[in-house]
Amino acid sequence: MLTEERHELILNELKKHSVVHVSTLVEMLDTSESTIRRDLNFLHNQGKLNKVHGGATSIKKNIHTKDDEIEVRKNLHTEEKISIARKAASLIKANDFVYIDAGTTTELMVDFIEEKNAVYVTNGINHASRLVSRGFTVYILAGEVKILTQAIIGIEAVNCLKKYNFTKGFFGTNGVCLENGFTTPEIKEALVKETALKKAREAYILADDSKFNEVSCVTFADIKDAAIITSNVDNKYKELVKADTKILEVVIR
């Protein structure tokens, strides 16, 4: 197969799915991993896609209006998410009163949290169950259950949050953008995130490389309102650094 043909097929696959994985392309195009990585590097440098760890994402700036299924999101950017989750968990200290937002990366934090002398509050159903099973002191918000993200949302959840004052809060996001801030597709979930973030003395956004320069339809915080825990920091984040946004870079291992 000619190089140009591979490039066209890769871009067509991105149009369909917005995300492609190296392993998928190797199988689909019946070629080597090194060849696919060269193709992705070339197309990235041509400005035709956004190369990320393990694959590539579309560079289209569409405004996302819905969440992907949680089982789909769990299988994307796994290595990055694990490293980000490990770093986030290491920030929890004795006597912290911690909020953990629903999300696939924040859920991975549970595997790395060691501090038993802290209290945890979450709107993540799976998060609460796993924290309890590990012997932590946990409170879960009341409210509406959103099956798609396994999250507690809505006005009851917001009212629950108003009585709390967190030392640290850890949040997921669908998009990180200088102009639009931190965004998510659903208004009731955004209100919970916004309220919890404002009640946290230290707020951290857990965002893998694919979330940058993406925009969903509801902003829940300004770009300066939280530190960002991420990986693969490169030139495309220069504008964020200029905006005095704190970025905690982690190393994938």
Side-chain angles (χ1 to χ4, degrees):
M1 184 182 295
L2 296 174
T3 301
E4 291 77 9
E5 291 179 286
R6 285 200 313 275
H7 291 175
E8 184 177 355
L9 289 169
I10 290 169
L11 294 174
N12 284 339
E13 192 71 5
L14 265 179
K15 285 180 183 177
K16 295 181 202 173
H17 303 291
S18 297
V19 177
V20 293
H21 296 92
V22 170
S23 57
T24 301
L25 294 174
V26 166
E27 183 176 351
M28 185 181 82
L29 300 176
D30 191 25
T31 189
S32 68
E33 183 175 316
S34 60
T35 297
I36 292 299
R37 292 190 185 280
R38 283 198 299 272
D39 289 341
L40 295 182
N41 282 328
F42 176 83
L43 293 168
H44 176 87
N45 292 332
Q46 292 289 308
K48 294 181 179 179
L49 55 73
N50 180 34
K51 186 176 180 294
V52 297
H53 185 78
T57 62
S58 171
I59 60 171
K60 293 186 297 183
K61 295 299 187 292
N62 292 337
I63 294 178
H64 303 288
T65 59
K66 63 179 183 179
D67 283 300
D68 293 325
E69 294 282 349
I70 193 166
E71 292 305 319
V72 173
R73 291 186 288 116
K74 277 184 176 180
N75 295 319
L76 297 175
H77 315 287
T78 307
E79 289 184 50
E80 288 177 84
K81 288 178 177 179
I82 289 171
S83 293
I84 290 166
R86 182 186 288 111
K87 174 64 176 179
S90 73
L91 300 175
I92 299 171
K93 307 300 179 186
N95 301 315
D96 270 337
F97 189 51
V98 180
Y99 182 76
I100 303 179
D101 183 34
T104 55
T105 310
T106 53
E107 185 179 347
L108 286 170
M109 282 180 64
V110 178
D111 296 331
F112 303 106
I113 293 174
E114 299 293 339
E115 186 53 68
K116 293 289 180 73
N117 191 23
V119 175
Y120 300 90
V121 179
T122 183
N123 73 322
I125 298 169
N126 292 338
H127 302 45
S129 176
R130 294 179 64 195
L131 284 163
V132 167
S133 70
R134 293 197 59 207
F136 295 103
T137 302
V138 186
Y139 294 85
I140 188 167
L141 302 184
E144 176 187 347
V145 176
K146 182 181 177 183
I147 296 298
L148 192 63
T149 57
Q150 296 291 299
I152 305 296
I153 61 172
I155 192 63
E156 285 192 57
V158 169
N159 287 335
C160 282
L161 285 165
K162 289 178 179 178
K163 64 187 175 186
Y164 294 131
N165 298 292
F166 304 110
T167 58
K168 295 183 176 79
F170 300 89
F171 300 87
T173 188
N174 292 71
V176 179
C177 177
L178 184 61
E179 295 80 12
N180 302 93
F182 304 112
T183 58
T184 196
E186 210 270 338
I187 183 66
K188 288 187 281 187
E189 193 156 13
L191 287 172
V192 173
K193 289 176 183 286
E194 179 182 35
T195 304
L197 193 143
K198 287 179 178 177
K199 299 292 285 185
R201 187 171 64 195
E202 297 176 20
Y204 299 91
I205 298 289
L206 281 57
D208 64 73
D209 192 66
S210 69
K211 303 295 178 64
F212 285 83
N213 298 316
E214 293 295 321
V215 180
S216 290
C217 54
V218 186
T219 296
F220 65 88
D222 185 75
I223 202 73
K224 295 181 182 179
D225 290 342
I228 303 170
I229 305 177
T230 188
S231 59
N232 298 330
V233 175
D234 60 23
N235 289 338
K236 68 182 173 181
Y237 305 138
K238 279 185 176 179
E239 293 303 314
L240 290 174
V241 175
K242 288 177 183 176
D244 297 323
T245 301
K246 185 177 181 182
I247 298 179
L248 306 181
E249 184 179 5
V250 298
V251 177
I252 296 172
R253 60 181 178 178

